[in-house]
PDB file of all heavy atoms in Angstrom:
ATOM      1  N   LEU Y  58      -6.799   4.163  42.412  1.00 86.00           N
ATOM      2  CA  LEU Y  58      -5.477   3.632  42.626  1.00 86.00           C
ATOM      3  C   LEU Y  58      -5.483   2.762  43.887  1.00 86.00           C
ATOM      4  O   LEU Y  58      -6.481   2.848  44.651  1.00 86.00           O
ATOM      5  CB  LEU Y  58      -4.494   4.783  42.739  1.00 86.00           C
ATOM      6  CG  LEU Y  58      -4.291   5.633  41.489  1.00 86.00           C
ATOM      7  CD1 LEU Y  58      -3.334   6.800  41.783  1.00 86.00           C
ATOM      8  CD2 LEU Y  58      -3.768   4.852  40.355  1.00 86.00           C
ATOM      9  N   PRO Y  59      -4.516   1.995  44.164  1.00 87.00           N
ATOM     10  CA  PRO Y  59      -4.487   1.112  45.330  1.00 87.00           C
ATOM     11  C   PRO Y  59      -4.533   1.932  46.692  1.00 87.00           C
ATOM     12  O   PRO Y  59      -5.159   1.468  47.655  1.00 87.00           O
ATOM     13  CB  PRO Y  59      -3.247   0.347  45.228  1.00 87.00           C
ATOM     14  CG  PRO Y  59      -2.886   0.332  43.865  1.00 87.00           C
ATOM     15  CD  PRO Y  59      -3.402   1.578  43.279  1.00 87.00           C
ATOM     16  N   ASN Y  60      -4.148   3.167  46.636  1.00 87.00           N
ATOM     17  CA  ASN Y  60      -4.246   3.928  47.897  1.00 87.00           C
ATOM     18  C   ASN Y  60      -5.576   4.621  48.048  1.00 87.00           C
ATOM     19  O   ASN Y  60      -5.802   5.492  48.980  1.00 87.00           O
ATOM     20  CB  ASN Y  60      -3.064   4.929  47.993  1.00 87.00           C
ATOM     21  CG  ASN Y  60      -3.111   5.909  46.832  1.00 87.00           C
ATOM     22  OD1 ASN Y  60      -3.986   5.936  46.023  1.00 87.00           O
ATOM     23  ND2 ASN Y  60      -2.186   6.798  46.828  1.00 87.00           N
ATOM     24  N   GLY Y  61      -6.527   4.386  47.096  1.00 84.00           N
ATOM     25  CA  GLY Y  61      -7.889   4.948  47.231  1.00 84.00           C
ATOM     26  C   GLY Y  61      -8.098   6.215  46.535  1.00 84.00           C
ATOM     27  O   GLY Y  61      -9.202   6.720  46.449  1.00 84.00           O
ATOM     28  N   VAL Y  62      -7.099   6.752  45.837  1.00 85.00           N
ATOM     29  CA  VAL Y  62      -7.295   8.042  45.201  1.00 85.00           C
ATOM     30  C   VAL Y  62      -7.819   7.785  43.764  1.00 85.00           C
ATOM     31  O   VAL Y  62      -7.386   6.884  43.116  1.00 85.00           O
ATOM     32  CB  VAL Y  62      -5.846   8.770  45.067  1.00 85.00           C
ATOM     33  CG1 VAL Y  62      -5.987  10.032  44.236  1.00 85.00           C
ATOM     34  CG2 VAL Y  62      -5.314   9.037  46.376  1.00 85.00           C
ATOM     35  N   ARG Y  63      -8.840   8.587  43.403  1.00 83.00           N
ATOM     36  CA  ARG Y  63      -9.435   8.458  42.084  1.00 83.00           C
ATOM     37  C   ARG Y  63      -8.725   9.448  41.136  1.00 83.00           C
ATOM     38  O   ARG Y  63      -8.629  10.611  41.509  1.00 83.00           O
ATOM     39  CB  ARG Y  63     -10.930   8.653  42.140  1.00 83.00           C
ATOM     40  CG  ARG Y  63     -11.733   7.508  42.654  1.00 83.00           C
ATOM     41  CD  ARG Y  63     -13.138   7.704  42.700  1.00 83.00           C
ATOM     42  NE  ARG Y  63     -13.813   8.160  41.444  1.00 83.00           N
ATOM     43  CZ  ARG Y  63     -14.235   7.277  40.452  1.00 83.00           C
ATOM     44  NH1 ARG Y  63     -14.290   6.025  40.761  1.00 83.00           N
ATOM     45  NH2 ARG Y  63     -14.715   7.795  39.472  1.00 83.00           N
ATOM     46  N   THR Y  64      -8.304   8.942  39.907  1.00 83.00           N
ATOM     47  CA  THR Y  64      -7.659   9.826  39.029  1.00 83.00           C
ATOM     48  C   THR Y  64      -7.958   9.417  37.528  1.00 83.00           C
ATOM     49  O   THR Y  64      -8.500   8.291  37.356  1.00 83.00           O
ATOM     50  CB  THR Y  64      -6.094   9.746  39.268  1.00 83.00           C
ATOM     51  OG1 THR Y  64      -5.517  10.766  38.343  1.00 83.00           O
ATOM     52  CG2 THR Y  64      -5.578   8.476  39.013  1.00 83.00           C
ATOM     53  N   LEU Y  65      -7.664  10.272  36.618  1.00 83.00           N
ATOM     54  CA  LEU Y  65      -7.841   9.885  35.254  1.00 83.00           C
ATOM     55  C   LEU Y  65      -6.603   9.153  34.765  1.00 83.00           C
ATOM     56  O   LEU Y  65      -5.496   9.512  35.160  1.00 83.00           O
ATOM     57  CB  LEU Y  65      -8.031  11.158  34.405  1.00 83.00           C
ATOM     58  CG  LEU Y  65      -9.349  11.879  34.489  1.00 83.00           C
ATOM     59  CD1 LEU Y  65      -9.311  13.153  33.699  1.00 83.00           C
ATOM     60  CD2 LEU Y  65     -10.430  10.993  34.019  1.00 83.00           C
ATOM     61  N   ALA Y  66      -6.766   8.123  34.005  1.00 84.00           N
ATOM     62  CA  ALA Y  66      -5.674   7.301  33.418  1.00 84.00           C
ATOM     63  C   ALA Y  66      -6.031   6.779  32.121  1.00 84.00           C
ATOM     64  O   ALA Y  66      -7.242   6.595  31.764  1.00 84.00           O
ATOM     65  CB  ALA Y  66      -5.349   6.198  34.382  1.00 84.00           C
ATOM     66  N   TYR Y  67      -4.983   6.504  31.312  1.00 84.00           N
ATOM     67  CA  TYR Y  67      -5.235   5.757  29.971  1.00 84.00           C
ATOM     68  C   TYR Y  67      -5.620   4.337  30.284  1.00 84.00           C
ATOM     69  O   TYR Y  67      -5.037   3.697  31.099  1.00 84.00           O
ATOM     70  CB  TYR Y  67      -3.955   5.832  29.174  1.00 84.00           C
ATOM     71  CG  TYR Y  67      -3.680   7.221  28.577  1.00 84.00           C
ATOM     72  CD1 TYR Y  67      -2.593   7.936  29.082  1.00 84.00           C
ATOM     73  CD2 TYR Y  67      -4.413   7.796  27.540  1.00 84.00           C
ATOM     74  CE1 TYR Y  67      -2.347   9.271  28.689  1.00 84.00           C
ATOM     75  CE2 TYR Y  67      -4.125   8.986  27.074  1.00 84.00           C
ATOM     76  CZ  TYR Y  67      -3.068   9.746  27.584  1.00 84.00           C
ATOM     77  OH  TYR Y  67      -2.802  10.986  27.170  1.00 84.00           O
ATOM     78  N   THR Y  68      -6.570   3.917  29.609  1.00 81.00           N
ATOM     79  CA  THR Y  68      -7.014   2.512  29.732  1.00 81.00           C
ATOM     80  C   THR Y  68      -6.935   1.823  28.357  1.00 81.00           C
ATOM     81  O   THR Y  68      -7.061   2.449  27.304  1.00 81.00           O
ATOM     82  CB  THR Y  68      -8.464   2.431  30.241  1.00 81.00           C
ATOM     83  OG1 THR Y  68      -9.321   3.092  29.375  1.00 81.00           O
ATOM     84  CG2 THR Y  68      -8.551   2.998  31.627  1.00 81.00           C
ATOM     85  N   HIS Y  69      -6.717   0.522  28.450  1.00 78.00           N
ATOM     86  CA  HIS Y  69      -6.705  -0.311  27.222  1.00 78.00           C
ATOM     87  C   HIS Y  69      -7.964  -1.051  27.145  1.00 78.00           C
ATOM     88  O   HIS Y  69      -8.320  -1.760  28.078  1.00 78.00           O
ATOM     89  CB  HIS Y  69      -5.419  -1.264  27.249  1.00 78.00           C
ATOM     90  CG  HIS Y  69      -4.163  -0.553  27.335  1.00 78.00           C
ATOM     91  ND1 HIS Y  69      -3.603   0.119  26.190  1.00 78.00           N
ATOM     92  CD2 HIS Y  69      -3.266  -0.332  28.292  1.00 78.00           C
ATOM     93  CE1 HIS Y  69      -2.466   0.637  26.562  1.00 78.00           C
ATOM     94  NE2 HIS Y  69      -2.259   0.413  27.870  1.00 78.00           N
ATOM     95  N   PRO Y  70      -8.684  -1.012  26.046  1.00 72.00           N
ATOM     96  CA  PRO Y  70      -9.842  -1.793  25.864  1.00 72.00           C
ATOM     97  C   PRO Y  70      -9.475  -3.329  25.872  1.00 72.00           C
ATOM     98  O   PRO Y  70      -8.466  -3.715  25.262  1.00 72.00           O
ATOM     99  CB  PRO Y  70     -10.441  -1.395  24.578  1.00 72.00           C
ATOM    100  CG  PRO Y  70      -9.345  -0.824  23.773  1.00 72.00           C
ATOM    101  CD  PRO Y  70      -8.342  -0.234  24.796  1.00 72.00           C
ATOM    102  N   ALA Y  71     -10.318  -4.052  26.529  1.00 70.00           N
ATOM    103  CA  ALA Y  71     -10.105  -5.535  26.497  1.00 70.00           C
ATOM    104  C   ALA Y  71     -10.404  -6.095  25.175  1.00 70.00           C
ATOM    105  O   ALA Y  71     -11.332  -5.606  24.514  1.00 70.00           O
ATOM    106  CB  ALA Y  71     -11.047  -6.174  27.566  1.00 70.00           C
ATOM    107  N   PRO Y  72      -9.641  -7.087  24.684  1.00 70.00           N
ATOM    108  CA  PRO Y  72      -9.878  -7.634  23.344  1.00 70.00           C
ATOM    109  C   PRO Y  72     -11.311  -8.232  23.412  1.00 70.00           C
ATOM    110  O   PRO Y  72     -11.691  -8.854  24.371  1.00 70.00           O
ATOM    111  CB  PRO Y  72      -8.818  -8.717  23.195  1.00 70.00           C
ATOM    112  CG  PRO Y  72      -8.296  -8.908  24.576  1.00 70.00           C
ATOM    113  CD  PRO Y  72      -8.461  -7.709  25.407  1.00 70.00           C
ATOM    114  N   ALA Y  73     -12.003  -8.010  22.322  1.00 73.00           N
ATOM    115  CA  ALA Y  73     -13.342  -8.487  22.251  1.00 73.00           C
ATOM    116  C   ALA Y  73     -13.488  -9.983  22.214  1.00 73.00           C
ATOM    117  O   ALA Y  73     -14.198 -10.568  23.002  1.00 73.00           O
ATOM    118  CB  ALA Y  73     -13.990  -7.904  20.918  1.00 73.00           C
ATOM    119  N   GLN Y  74     -12.691 -10.658  21.398  1.00 75.00           N
ATOM    120  CA  GLN Y  74     -12.679 -12.061  21.309  1.00 75.00           C
ATOM    121  C   GLN Y  74     -11.277 -12.549  21.022  1.00 75.00           C
ATOM    122  O   GLN Y  74     -10.549 -11.810  20.212  1.00 75.00           O
ATOM    123  CB  GLN Y  74     -13.636 -12.557  20.262  1.00 75.00           C
ATOM    124  CG  GLN Y  74     -15.098 -12.305  20.509  1.00 75.00           C
ATOM    125  CD  GLN Y  74     -15.972 -12.738  19.384  1.00 75.00           C
ATOM    126  OE1 GLN Y  74     -15.461 -13.278  18.423  1.00 75.00           O
ATOM    127  NE2 GLN Y  74     -17.242 -12.505  19.538  1.00 75.00           N
ATOM    128  N   PRO Y  75     -10.875 -13.591  21.475  1.00 75.00           N
ATOM    129  CA  PRO Y  75      -9.573 -14.150  21.098  1.00 75.00           C
ATOM    130  C   PRO Y  75      -9.568 -14.523  19.566  1.00 75.00           C
ATOM    131  O   PRO Y  75     -10.614 -14.971  19.103  1.00 75.00           O
ATOM    132  CB  PRO Y  75      -9.306 -15.289  21.967  1.00 75.00           C
ATOM    133  CG  PRO Y  75     -10.657 -15.768  22.424  1.00 75.00           C
ATOM    134  CD  PRO Y  75     -11.506 -14.517  22.498  1.00 75.00           C
ATOM    135  N   ILE Y  76      -8.486 -14.308  18.970  1.00 75.00           N
ATOM    136  CA  ILE Y  76      -8.364 -14.540  17.515  1.00 75.00           C
ATOM    137  C   ILE Y  76      -8.254 -16.137  17.377  1.00 75.00           C
ATOM    138  O   ILE Y  76      -7.373 -16.756  17.956  1.00 75.00           O
ATOM    139  CB  ILE Y  76      -7.126 -13.942  16.871  1.00 75.00           C
ATOM    140  CG1 ILE Y  76      -7.259 -12.356  17.063  1.00 75.00           C
ATOM    141  CG2 ILE Y  76      -6.989 -14.304  15.476  1.00 75.00           C
ATOM    142  CD1 ILE Y  76      -6.012 -11.639  16.699  1.00 75.00           C
ATOM    143  N   PRO Y  77      -9.157 -16.743  16.571  1.00 76.00           N
ATOM    144  CA  PRO Y  77      -9.038 -18.138  16.449  1.00 76.00           C
ATOM    145  C   PRO Y  77      -7.873 -18.563  15.640  1.00 76.00           C
ATOM    146  O   PRO Y  77      -7.571 -17.933  14.628  1.00 76.00           O
ATOM    147  CB  PRO Y  77     -10.445 -18.495  15.766  1.00 76.00           C
ATOM    148  CG  PRO Y  77     -10.755 -17.305  15.044  1.00 76.00           C
ATOM    149  CD  PRO Y  77     -10.324 -16.143  15.847  1.00 76.00           C
ATOM    150  N   LEU Y  78      -7.219 -19.552  15.997  1.00 79.00           N
ATOM    151  CA  LEU Y  78      -6.021 -19.995  15.281  1.00 79.00           C
ATOM    152  C   LEU Y  78      -6.485 -20.985  14.131  1.00 79.00           C
ATOM    153  O   LEU Y  78      -7.444 -21.750  14.316  1.00 79.00           O
ATOM    154  CB  LEU Y  78      -5.148 -20.806  16.227  1.00 79.00           C
ATOM    155  CG  LEU Y  78      -4.512 -20.028  17.279  1.00 79.00           C
ATOM    156  CD1 LEU Y  78      -3.661 -20.920  18.160  1.00 79.00           C
ATOM    157  CD2 LEU Y  78      -3.569 -18.959  16.802  1.00 79.00           C
TER     158      LEU Y  78
END
Side-chain angles (χ1 to χ4, degrees):
L58 298 177
N60 62 1
V62 176
R63 285 184 49 95
T64 185
L65 287 173
Y67 289 106
T68 59
H69 299 287
Q74 296 175 359
I76 299 171
L78 297 176

